[in-house]
Amino acid sequence: MVNHYISKMKKHFLILLISVVTFSCKKENERTSYTYQEDPSIIQDQYGRQLIFHGLNTASISKSDSLRNPWIIESDVEREATDFGFNFVRYLIFWDAIEPQKDVFDPVYLDRVEERVNWYTSRGMYVMLDMHQDLYSLVFGGDGAPAWAIRSNGSAPINLPGGTPWWLKNIDPAVVNSWINFWSYTAHKDLQDHYILAWKYVMERFKNNPYVIGYDLMNEPWGGDLVKVFITGEFEKQQLTAFYNKLIPALRAVESNKYFFFEPTPAPVTFGAPSKLSKITDTRSTSKLVYAPHCYPFDTHEGVGYTATAKQQLKDWERERKKDVQLHNNVPLLVGEFGLSPSQAGFDQNLKDFYAMADRNQWHWAYWSNDQGGWSPINADRTETPILQYLIRTYPKATAGKIKTFEYNPDSKIFTMSFTSNSSIPEPTEIFIPNRFYPSGWDLSVTGTTNYTQNFDAVKQILDFNTTENNKDITITITPK
């Protein structure tokens, strides 16, 4: 009788245990597959929180590395995530490494990419894979297209005098002809078709990682024909627009849910001039497109300094890019590249002005680049350069609701954000508050609700803010003690 009772108790306990495990798994799966209202004007995580991206490009040195690898090791990524508070990386990949021979795709290269991408994503950082190119191909001293995809009409590459800016190589007839032929879809259909195949190969590898947030479809697309680029605008209006209209639907067949980042032509857009790109639309019912122009006022790019001309170009850039955002259905904007040397006169004011512009427009950014030395925030020995203190900022990494405004003042160290809460989102609002700027601590002021909880992780330097009140206009202010 006793044995029978014990047996029944064991059976009931086992049923209870199975029920608890099943319920727990169900709840975890429900969180993983959480559905939310998509908003095409912002970038959202898998819970529906509004994201703001601050991060670096990784890395310029991979353009010329024999394996196309960046210089980083995993501890460098840990430092970016924890010490610097970055939540994003624009990670460079290359067509010639993906498809080194026509119809031959290299899984070993993507193994190396995936290993490094996982260093970021395992830390909750978001990765945007950037199909990078400069001067069309490594064959011409740049990077990008494999040798088999060069159609230069027999023109041999030319050598420019030492000290000539690298970008002037775009006038090389071999480079010009290669670009013209790439955009001539009718005559050279296989080039764009294989570019699409290369992207599909990449997307199949990363489609199930929610922290691979999306893909930059082509870095700094260049027209080749200078008349069509600078005078008639035909390259952006017709050829580049047609390319995106072909590329986006083709890639949506493989990747239906990630963000696609698209760029205008680099010059003269990077200097603040208008873009001629026609309206780009998604094939999804709710768009997941992000406009990703680069910002390089000419004088800062060429090492002259943050001159009056550069200041005006930055103002022009903001005005014109706001027009572009509206043209493309009020899409989010990410500045895929910007930067300058810390040795330049006015570099600090340039960064202050840039970040003030980014904050007031809720624009995302990726600084060029994390390579050691030069423009980088770190030196060759991994010590900090003067750039870093301006890149590290208090900012809202993820918001359970929709941001109305946010601003960080690097002089006073005061941070303010206003947002409308969404209590259906199961994850908290996360604000990065760097300890280095608040040696005596900080005070938190909240208006709009008294029903909230807060928790600060001093190691990750993250404030978690929770409220159960829905659709409330809440203002958070952080001030140093």
Side-chain angles (χ1 to χ4, degrees):
M1 184 71 176
V2 172
N3 289 339
H4 177 68
Y5 177 76
I6 292 173
S7 178
K8 286 181 68 177
M9 289 296 291
K10 286 182 176 179
K11 181 179 180 181
H12 291 158
F13 176 76
L14 182 60
I15 292 171
L16 178 62
L17 180 62
I18 292 172
S19 298
V20 169
V21 171
T22 302
F23 177 77
S24 298
C25 290
K26 182 179 180 183
K27 292 297 289 183
E28 183 61 31
N29 289 337
E30 284 175 355
R31 281 187 59 182
T32 302
S33 60
Y34 177 78
T35 58
Y36 58 89
Q37 183 67 41
E38 292 183 334
D39 185 338
S41 68
I42 60 176
I43 299 177
Q44 295 169 284
D45 69 6
Q46 61 265 47
Y47 306 109
R49 291 183 296 182
Q50 179 177 353
L51 300 174
I52 295 294
F53 289 150
H54 287 185
L56 305 172
N57 278 266
T58 300
S60 181
I61 198 170
S62 57
K63 300 177 186 180
S64 56
D65 181 78
S66 60
L67 297 177
R68 300 297 188 273
N69 290 338
W71 61 275
I72 56 170
I73 58 177
E74 190 167 5
S75 59
D76 296 305
V77 177
E78 174 64 25
R79 191 181 184 196
E80 289 184 18
T82 302
D83 295 352
F84 305 162
F86 297 140
N87 64 345
F88 178 76
V89 62
R90 182 175 184 254
Y91 190 97
L92 278 61
I93 59 174
F94 306 93
W95 184 13
D96 65 354
I98 298 163
E99 191 183 10
Q101 300 175 41
K102 195 171 186 178
D103 289 317
V104 177
F105 298 91
D106 187 356
V108 177
Y109 170 66
L110 286 193
D111 288 343
R112 296 195 300 271
V113 172
E114 186 172 22
E115 177 187 19
R116 288 156 180 80
V117 164
N118 288 342
W119 294 347
Y120 292 94
T121 63
S122 65
R123 291 166 170 81
M125 292 182 72
Y126 291 92
V127 176
M128 181 257 278
L129 295 174
D130 158 47
M131 192 73 83
H132 209 83
Q133 75 75 32
D134 299 284
L135 305 175
Y136 192 76
S137 175
L138 182 67
V139 173
F140 304 136
D143 55 273
W148 65 261
I150 293 173
R151 311 282 167 81
S152 62
N153 299 346
S155 297
I158 62 174
N159 294 316
L160 297 177
T164 303
W166 69 267
W167 46 266
L168 278 179
K169 194 78 160 39
N170 279 303
I171 66 173
D172 183 333
V175 176
V176 170
N177 291 337
S178 294
W179 274 122
I180 289 174
N181 289 328
F182 180 85
W183 300 119
S184 301
Y185 187 68
T186 302
H188 298 273
K189 184 175 182 292
D190 64 312
L191 294 178
Q192 291 189 31
D193 286 349
H194 275 265
Y195 190 86
I196 291 170
L197 288 174
W199 257 130
K200 286 183 175 181
Y201 187 70
V202 172
M203 290 179 180
E204 288 287 358
R205 175 69 72 102
F206 294 100
K207 65 188 300 183
N208 294 322
N209 188 333
Y211 287 95
V212 176
I213 198 75
Y215 311 98
D216 192 337
L217 301 178
M218 179 181 284
N219 176 69
E220 298 189 350
W222 186 246
D225 187 324
L226 299 183
V227 173
K228 292 180 178 179
V229 170
F230 289 106
I231 298 176
T232 67
E234 180 184 337
F235 168 63
E236 279 194 299
K237 285 187 288 189
Q238 297 182 20
Q239 293 175 300
L240 186 55
T241 297
F243 174 68
Y244 287 138
N245 287 337
K246 185 185 305 100
L247 186 63
I248 290 170
L251 298 183
R252 280 290 179 222
V254 174
E255 182 47 80
S256 60
N257 289 317
K258 293 190 186 297
Y259 289 91
F260 290 168
F261 297 73
F262 67 97
E263 301 186 26
T265 192
V269 172
T270 56
F271 310 142
S275 169
K276 299 295 193 300
L277 190 64
S278 300
K279 183 177 181 179
I280 304 299
T281 57
D282 205 344
T283 53
R284 296 181 88 250
S285 58
T286 302
S287 171
K288 278 195 169 182
L289 296 182
V290 181
Y291 189 48
H294 297 174
C295 181
Y296 289 117
F298 186 82
D299 286 352
T300 59
H301 187 273
E302 296 307 309
V304 179
Y306 192 42
T307 62
T309 299
K311 292 178 183 179
Q312 183 58 53
Q313 286 186 351
L314 186 61
K315 293 177 181 178
D316 295 342
W317 196 93
E318 179 180 15
R319 181 192 66 244
E320 295 302 324
R321 302 300 73 83
K322 288 169 76 172
K323 293 179 184 177
D324 297 343
V325 165
Q326 292 302 313
L327 170 67
H328 300 299
N329 287 335
N330 197 31
V331 295
L333 183 147
L334 178 136
V335 186
E337 291 184 22
F338 71 101
L340 76 171
S341 169
S343 65
Q344 287 189 34
F347 86 91
D348 50 348
Q349 190 60 51
N350 172 264
L351 293 175
K352 288 180 180 180
D353 290 348
F354 175 89
Y355 290 126
M357 173 189 71
D359 283 3
R360 65 176 165 260
N361 290 289
Q362 299 178 37
W363 288 344
H364 314 258
W365 51 259
Y367 182 83
W368 185 269
S369 66
N370 79 339
D371 294 88
Q372 297 163 290
W375 292 12
S376 175
I378 55 175
N379 293 304
D381 61 0
R382 288 181 166 82
T383 57
E384 298 180 5
T385 75
I387 289 285
L388 185 62
Q389 65 177 320
Y390 297 99
L391 271 60
I392 297 176
R393 301 169 65 78
T394 303
Y395 73 104
K397 299 178 80 167
T399 302
K402 188 164 184 178
I403 298 171
K404 299 173 72 176
T405 62
F406 77 91
E407 177 184 11
Y408 171 71
N409 186 313
D411 297 319
S412 68
K413 306 298 188 289
I414 295 174
F415 168 81
T416 302
M417 72 173 293
S418 296
F419 69 102
T420 303
S421 64
N422 183 347
S423 61
S424 70
I425 294 176
E427 297 296 305
T429 293
E430 297 181 2
I431 303 173
F432 176 70
I433 308 176
N435 295 328
R436 66 172 68 200
F437 295 149
Y438 303 91
S440 301
W442 42 267
D443 291 318
L444 177 70
S445 172
V446 178
T447 61
T449 183
T450 58
N451 183 12
Y452 67 89
T453 60
Q454 65 180 76
N455 180 64
F456 182 67
D457 185 327
V459 175
K460 294 183 178 179
Q461 306 177 91
I462 296 292
L463 170 67
D464 283 356
F465 179 91
N466 277 289
T467 181
T468 59
E469 293 195 277
N470 189 48
N471 202 32
K472 298 285 287 187
D473 290 337
I474 298 171
T475 298
I476 294 174
T477 303
I478 295 167
T479 55
K481 289 184 175 179

